[in-house]
Amino acid sequence: LCQGERPPGDVLQAADRIVLVYPTWSGGLPSHLLGWLHELFDQGIRLGRTTELVAVTTCGSSQFVNRVQGEWGRRYLRTELLGRCAPGARFRWLCLYKVDRRSRDEMSAHLDQVAQAFARP
């Protein structure tokens, strides 16, 4: 699904893997994504078949700075989303830090790492 498309609850409940691709904004999730997740919570959706949630994101700051700030977006997805909707699911965080200071080769290497992560079960 693409930005702006909101899948019905039954589609999400039947998903084995959910992949969220988004830019990290000020350490957190973009407002549209956060609003959509809150709608899920309000509907009481359980992701019973979901075995994995993968976040593919970019950050302008370094990993160190994000950790000092508490990595709110990462923590929110792992504890709030999975904790409420799919407590037994695995969580993977695939983040390219300092994205605006990366070379093409570094960005390409990150994309290769993301592809490899999806090639493994």
Side-chain angles (χ1 to χ4, degrees):
L1 301 169
C2 296
Q3 179 180 356
E5 293 182 43
R6 295 182 183 224
D10 57 338
V11 171
L12 286 173
Q13 290 172 327
D16 293 331
R17 178 188 286 169
I18 295 174
V19 180
L20 301 174
V21 180
Y22 64 93
T24 294
W25 291 80
S26 300
L29 306 170
S31 61
H32 289 313
L33 177 57
L34 188 59
W36 178 66
L37 293 174
H38 284 200
E39 285 179 26
L40 293 179
F41 298 156
D42 290 346
Q43 295 170 18
I45 290 188
R46 293 276 180 223
L47 306 175
R49 291 196 47 195
T50 301
T51 59
E52 182 176 41
L53 171 67
V54 182
V56 180
T57 189
T58 57
C59 292
S61 55
S62 69
Q63 185 174 14
F64 174 76
V65 167
N66 278 271
R67 289 210 174 153
V68 167
Q69 293 174 340
E71 289 197 299
W72 180 87
R74 181 181 191 170
R75 194 167 20 98
Y76 182 85
L77 291 174
R78 186 177 45 221
T79 59
E80 292 296 319
L81 180 60
L82 290 184
R84 290 184 187 193
C85 300
R90 176 180 174 196
F91 178 72
R92 285 201 283 175
W93 177 258
L94 305 174
C95 182
L96 180 60
Y97 295 95
K98 301 192 311 187
V99 68
D100 53 337
R101 293 180 296 264
R102 298 289 183 172
S103 68
R104 280 191 188 271
D105 289 342
E106 289 173 316
M107 286 190 232
S108 182
H110 177 71
L111 290 175
D112 289 343
Q113 290 174 347
V114 169
Q116 288 173 8
F118 286 105
R120 286 179 264 146

